[in-house]
Amino acid sequence: MQLLENVSLLPYNTFGLEAKARYFAEVTSPDELRQLLLAPRWQNEPKLVLGGGSNVLLTQDINALVIRIAIKGIEKIKEDQEHVWLRVGAGEWWHDLVMYSVGKGYSGLENLSLIPGTVGAAPMQNIGAYGVEIREVFEELEAIHIQTADLRQFGAEECRFGYRESVFKRDLRGQYIITSVTFRLSKVPSFRTSYGDIQKTLADMNVEELSTRAISEAVIRIRQSKLPDPAQIGNAGSFFKNPEIPKAQFNQLREQYPAVPGYDTAPDRVKVPAGWLIEQAGWKGFREGQVGVHARQALVLVNYGGGTGEQIKELAGRVQDSVEEKFGIRLTPEVNFI
Ligand code: EPU
């Protein structure tokens, strides 16, 4: 393992932000990670863990040891008539895993095609798209405690998954490093096409027979049509969560804005698309200097190149304030500020 000093994190975050890591190490196995954590030199040094850097906003240089997780490997560990269980290294790219699983004809991950980031980061915020969240295919994960370097398994219950939430973002924040995730995938396909855009896209593609591959291709098409490619325009996907509000508040809102979209999540809770609120507040396509709000999806803040984390943070604050002023709803960021 190589330990480097004063390393630019620009290639390691999808926002393409410049920030320097005081120390930087890349680990390729759980053993290597444990050795690093137990080394006396690093025991009391602050640490920051980076996966694919697809959900972070770097607002300053990092005066800490930045550990990049590059643990690879996809292994079939169990199989029965209907399912296979894949244990996957935390450093595998999420989309590579989806393509591997689609290639094998396993179903469960196809709706989650083209999400940037690594496998280890996926359970942190229970990634989800087009009607599926990873908690539905999650079996367990292994993680190493940062202070003691002890290895521990977490089942689905213990991860306490919620909408873009898990125990690793809350009670256990900053305490564990995920090293592998085991998924339970289906050999008998069960397709999820309820999300409106998928059906329409499949029809546009003239798909006659539904397959995991066709769904994956439809999702890729939809994402490419709305979401900027981080390789071209820096971004971290949705910047805010979609707010859930009490039904009474939603009904009031609808009296004032009859077009407001909303989806029931519980008998008395409604989820409102933050992208709609931001667009209505006039931000869609807004640009100031090198940062802005994406023109095709208002929920995505972008760095056109050379923008700073501080500028994005400031813009996010202005978007929050104006949405709150207009609709009485305070948006919560989905991205982690560092
Ligand atoms: N909308 C607008 N204007 C916009 C954007 C959206 O009016 O500029 C409204 C439209 O009514 C649209 C609705 O919002 O029908 C939903 O938009 P979209 O399907 O693009 O999804 P989203 O709610 O904006 C969520 C996830 C995405 C995920 C998509 C598809 C969150 C925070 N975001 O976005 O996840 O890909 O659904 O399932 O839940 C991510 O987390 O980084 C991410 C991209």
Side-chain angles (χ1 to χ4, degrees), residues 42-97:
W42 302 110
Q43 283 261 292
N44 297 317
E45 198 75 43
K47 298 173 189 80
L48 173 75
V49 182
L50 263 190
S54 60
N55 210 39
V56 289
L57 182 76
L58 301 173
T59 60
Q60 56 191 323
D61 287 343
I62 314 294
N63 191 17
L65 168 62
V66 172
I67 305 174
R68 184 170 145 84
I69 306 300
I71 302 169
K72 299 280 187 187
I74 302 179
E75 191 191 349
K76 192 202 290 181
I77 56 164
K78 200 162 92 172
E79 183 166 14
D80 66 16
Q81 293 272 307
E82 288 167 26
H83 294 102
V84 290
W85 283 258
L86 297 183
R87 179 161 58 208
V88 187
E92 287 286 347
W93 290 105
W94 176 263
H95 185 62
D96 289 351
L97 168 65

Side-chain angles (χ1 to χ4, degrees), residues 128-131 163-164 195 197 223 226-227 236-238 240-242 261 263 273 275-276 279 284 296-299 334:
Y130 305 102
Y163 166 57
R164 295 296 191 276
Y195 206 92
D197 278 2
R223 291 187 73 99
K226 298 190 184 178
L227 297 168
S238 302
F240 300 102
K241 292 193 213 183
N242 286 329
Y263 315 91
W276 188 88
E279 180 174 346
K284 197 170 184 169
R296 276 177 280 140
Q297 179 24 310
L299 193 47
E334 195 219 72

Side-chain angles (χ1 to χ4, degrees), residues 40-267:
R41 167 69 184 87
W42 302 110
Q43 283 261 292
N44 297 317
E45 198 75 43
K47 298 173 189 80
L48 173 75
V49 182
L50 263 190
S54 60
N55 210 39
V56 289
L57 182 76
L58 301 173
T59 60
Q60 56 191 323
D61 287 343
I62 314 294
N63 191 17
L65 168 62
V66 172
I67 305 174
R68 184 170 145 84
I69 306 300
I71 302 169
K72 299 280 187 187
I74 302 179
E75 191 191 349
K76 192 202 290 181
I77 56 164
K78 200 162 92 172
E79 183 166 14
D80 66 16
Q81 293 272 307
E82 288 167 26
H83 294 102
V84 290
W85 283 258
L86 297 183
R87 179 161 58 208
V88 187
E92 287 286 347
W93 290 105
W94 176 263
H95 185 62
D96 289 351
L97 168 65
V98 176
M99 289 295 95
Y100 172 91
S101 124
V102 167
K104 294 274 184 194
Y106 304 150
S107 103
L109 300 179
E110 56 279 5
N111 293 49
L112 303 173
S113 295
L114 213 62
I115 296 182
T118 55
V119 166
M124 299 277 294
Q125 58 153 350
N126 179 29
I127 58 169
Y130 305 102
V132 173
E133 290 183 337
I134 76 151
R135 70 167 135 193
E136 296 163 51
V137 287
F138 176 92
E139 179 77 17
E140 63 163 28
L141 62 77
E142 281 188 341
I144 290 177
H145 192 262
I146 293 182
Q147 283 300 319
T148 63
D150 288 343
L151 188 76
R152 181 180 153 186
Q153 270 87 24
F154 288 81
E157 282 285 287
E158 291 161 297
C159 290
R160 286 198 257 142
F161 292 125
Y163 166 57
R164 295 296 191 276
E165 280 294 350
S166 78
V167 73
F168 303 103
K169 272 182 98 172
R170 290 184 172 266
D171 299 10
L172 298 181
R173 190 185 185 96
Q175 292 188 41
Y176 280 93
I177 300 177
I178 296 170
T179 53
S180 76
V181 186
T182 301
F183 299 94
R184 187 190 60 257
L185 304 178
S186 183
K187 296 200 284 187
V188 189
S190 67
F191 304 122
R192 302 284 285 276
T193 59
S194 53
Y195 206 92
D197 278 2
I198 293 195
Q199 285 174 7
K200 188 183 166 299
T201 308
L202 287 168
D204 291 349
M205 287 163 58
N206 296 316
V207 168
E208 279 165 17
E209 203 181 332
L210 216 49
S211 64
T212 44
R213 188 174 295 281
I215 294 180
S216 169
E217 283 169 5
V219 168
I220 289 172
R221 257 202 203 205
I222 302 168
R223 291 187 73 99
Q224 285 176 336
S225 73
K226 298 190 184 178
L227 297 168
D229 177 356
Q232 277 148 27
I233 302 177
N235 75 91
S238 302
F239 195 90
F240 300 102
K241 292 193 213 183
N242 286 329
E244 271 187 79
I245 58 173
K247 188 138 202 166
Q249 187 184 356
F250 180 75
N251 290 340
Q252 268 180 2
L253 202 62
R254 200 155 55 182
E255 273 176 30
Q256 233 186 320
Y257 304 96
V260 60
Y263 315 91
D264 288 347
T265 49

